[in-house]
Amino acid sequence: MNDLHIISWNVTRRCNLECTHCYLPATTRKERPLLSPDDELTTQEAFQLIDRIASVNPEVMLILSGGEPLLREDVFELSTYASGKGMMVVLGSNGLLINDAAARMMKQSGVSGISISLDSVNPEIHDAARSRPGAWEKAVSAIKICRKEGLSIQVNTVVTKKNFEEIQELITYSRDHGAKVYSPFFLVCTGRGEEMTDLSPLQYEKVLSSIVEAQGKHDDIMIRTRCAPTVRRILYQKNPESWLLTMGAGRCLAGQSYCRITPEGDVTPCPYLPLSTGNIRERDFGDIWQNSAIFNSLRNPSLKGKCKKCAFRLLCGGCRARAYAGHNDYLGEDPWCDYLPEGGTMMIKPPIVDMNAAESETPTPHWTDEAEERLKRVPSFVRNMVRSAVVRYAAEHKYREITPQVMDEVRQKSGMGGMHGH
């Protein structure tokens, strides 16, 4: 499958922080002069790129990231242009530059959601990771301002040895401050974080198990792991019938439905797998997405090491970025996984409804006005995933109509908090 759903676009390397774990790494004036237009895509090149992306999928989720995207002077022009094409535009920020005026500009330019990084409930831990006193206070202030402006809020945490025991607290803190999605990103040692010490495989397993437990306990916030497909094996071992599996929770999207674009126009499978599949200044984006050898190898991977032997390889598949960071081979085994393959029956991917067959037996389910209205209130970060899950569920159960009650059934079976669309 190579349907494009999400793009993370680092619109600039410029940043006002020097985070210890930065994958890019972003640059400040201290480190080097600000990049010239020859380094970053110009406004016109950016518009042309958006046009090319729209020709592949005009409804893609476009994440404008950095560096700090608010340091790019034309960022609101880009969001206006992309949202005008029908794209769901999300901004990823450290929060330092967000005030009432900036939040208002986001809303006016078509930004539907904001993801803000918060690495601890302890200001000192967050500020140390971000290398700036007061960064925590600014991030929390930004969350409050964006909430007041009516933007969907996602809180991101880079999980490290210093904060992995805080995840439950961070979930609660994020929910209490109005976030509809909490996303723990598991460290991949690349960029400025190349020399950082990872969690041990045992710690990794422990924190993922606690996240799986948390997913069923929180009704008003969605929890989505990143860079940790091992969570799918843990989820399966806990409940093989979990609808979270059928919806792709925790699945690695790199090269399959997701890619990253660098400030200079290189297209990579994800931000943590720094292998260029082509540059949009030299090659059409659609051609890169459809025909790149690296993308195609990720879509049908020939895994190596213990990942090759693992009964869960089709369900999990390991983190390809972590394999590359650890072994210089993106098809190698995931060095963080503590599971030792025992052979036996292959755990296949959860059954996906054949939509063509389903539609031949049952008309395409119709969304009632009430259900559509409720879907609009689902956080922008996960709206497409929720829509697909509900349609799949309705087709499987031969429902002719999708109502709020059907959405409740999906939420109850999946443990997906946030589907109320408060």
Side-chain angles (χ1 to χ4, degrees):
M1 175 180 175
N2 57 349
D3 293 335
L4 181 63
H5 294 306
I6 307 173
I7 296 175
S8 180
W9 180 6
N10 300 121
V11 295
T12 182
R13 285 184 187 271
R14 289 172 283 174
C15 196
N16 45 9
L17 292 179
E18 298 174 55
C19 302
T20 56
H21 49 255
C22 184
Y23 63 82
L24 200 52
T27 58
T28 64
R29 288 182 183 273
K30 256 194 320 189
E31 293 174 329
R32 57 176 287 195
L34 296 183
L35 301 186
S36 72
D38 292 335
D39 293 308
E40 294 179 355
L41 299 180
T42 66
T43 302
Q44 281 308 118
E45 286 177 316
F47 286 164
Q48 290 168 6
L49 172 58
I50 291 168
D51 289 338
R52 297 299 186 183
I53 292 170
S55 70
V56 177
N57 180 9
E59 297 181 350
V60 72
M61 179 191 288
L62 186 64
I63 305 168
L64 302 180
S65 183
E68 171 51 55
L70 291 174
L71 284 173
R72 181 160 172 146
E73 294 79 3
D74 62 357
V75 68
F76 295 125
E77 293 178 58
L78 303 187
S79 57
T80 299
Y81 193 77
S83 61
K85 293 284 183 179
M87 297 178 191
M88 184 178 293
V89 181
V90 172
L91 201 74
S93 174
N94 57 40
L96 265 66
L97 297 177
I98 295 177
N99 53 24
D100 289 336
R104 193 159 46 248
M105 283 295 296
M106 286 183 226
K107 192 78 171 178
Q108 292 172 355
S109 66
V111 173
S112 60
I114 176 85
S115 63
I116 295 176
S117 300
L118 196 67
D119 290 331
S120 178
V121 294
N122 182 333
E124 292 180 2
I125 293 176
H126 178 89
D127 291 356
R130 302 285 162 175
S131 300
R132 178 159 174 173
W136 185 90
E137 187 178 348
K138 288 282 191 180
V140 171
S141 173
I143 291 170
K144 294 175 181 177
I145 290 169
C146 291
R147 180 184 185 183
K148 184 176 67 175
E149 192 60 40
L151 292 162
S152 292
I153 300 167
Q154 173 173 308
V155 170
N156 296 341
T157 297
V158 177
V159 183
T160 67
K161 279 184 175 290
K162 292 185 177 180
N163 66 4
F164 78 98
E165 293 182 331
E166 282 190 63
I167 299 303
Q168 300 300 321
E169 277 186 276
L170 278 160
I171 292 170
T172 301
Y173 190 90
S174 301
R175 180 200 64 197
D176 291 348
H177 283 73
K180 293 302 180 185
V181 182
Y182 177 74
S183 195
F185 282 68
F186 285 81
L187 177 70
V188 178
C189 293
T190 187
R192 195 179 290 133
E194 188 171 3
E195 301 302 321
M196 289 185 68
T197 303
D198 275 343
L199 299 178
S200 69
L202 189 61
Q203 290 169 328
Y204 178 55
E205 185 90 2
K206 180 181 177 182
V207 71
L208 286 179
S209 296
S210 73
I211 288 170
V212 167
E213 290 293 330
Q215 283 175 324
K217 294 179 180 176
H218 294 277
D219 188 49
D220 48 3
I221 187 169
M222 293 185 184
I223 304 166
R224 299 192 306 160
T225 57
R226 287 288 177 263
C227 309
T230 303
V231 76
R232 293 173 60 75
R233 186 253 303 161
I234 296 171
L235 188 58
Y236 182 93
Q237 289 172 320
K238 181 184 176 187
N239 178 15
E241 305 299 320
S242 173
W243 249 71
L244 280 169
L245 288 169
T246 69
M247 288 186 292
R251 183 168 59 91
C252 178
L253 307 177
Q256 300 186 50
S257 58
Y258 171 68
C259 69
R260 183 271 294 257
I261 301 169
T262 71
E264 302 84 9
D266 286 321
V267 182
T268 75
C270 82
Y272 310 100
L273 187 51
L275 293 175
S276 177
T277 61
N279 188 288
I280 61 96
R281 283 172 163 157
E282 302 165 357
R283 188 176 167 194
D284 179 72
F285 173 80
D287 179 42
I288 295 172
W289 174 253
Q290 295 293 344
N291 300 314
S292 159
I294 293 174
F295 282 156
N296 286 326
S297 69
L298 288 167
R299 290 162 189 163
N300 187 26
S302 298
L303 301 179
K304 302 173 185 177
K306 69 178 184 180
C307 284
K308 178 180 181 179
K309 304 171 186 176
C310 185
F312 293 96
R313 68 177 178 268
L314 296 180
L315 187 73
C316 164
C319 175
R320 299 300 96 218
R322 198 164 285 119
Y324 184 76
H327 307 298
N328 201 33
D329 183 352
Y330 64 89
L331 295 176
E333 66 181 47
D334 184 340
W336 260 21
C337 181
D338 198 40
Y339 180 74
L340 294 176
E342 299 173 355
T345 305
M346 176 66 65
M347 303 302 175
I348 62 171
K349 292 180 181 178
I352 301 298
V353 176
D354 182 339
M355 293 303 296
N356 292 327
E359 288 174 7
S360 68
E361 300 171 11
T362 307
T364 302
H366 165 72
W367 287 74
T368 65
D369 291 343
E370 294 84 357
E372 284 280 11
E373 188 58 36
R374 181 158 149 186
L375 184 67
K376 289 177 184 176
R377 299 198 301 271
V378 169
S380 56
F381 310 96
V382 290
R383 194 176 300 144
N384 287 341
M385 180 185 76
V386 169
R387 178 184 283 278
S388 297
V390 173
V391 169
R392 205 156 53 228
Y393 180 86
E396 185 179 87
H397 290 77
K398 297 183 171 56
Y399 290 150
R400 295 175 180 271
E401 193 171 62
I402 294 173
T403 65
Q405 289 71 35
V406 174
M407 296 177 75
D408 282 337
E409 288 181 33
V410 178
R411 181 182 59 82
Q412 290 162 6
K413 286 182 175 292
S414 66
M416 286 176 65
M419 268 188 62
H420 287 303
H422 296 309

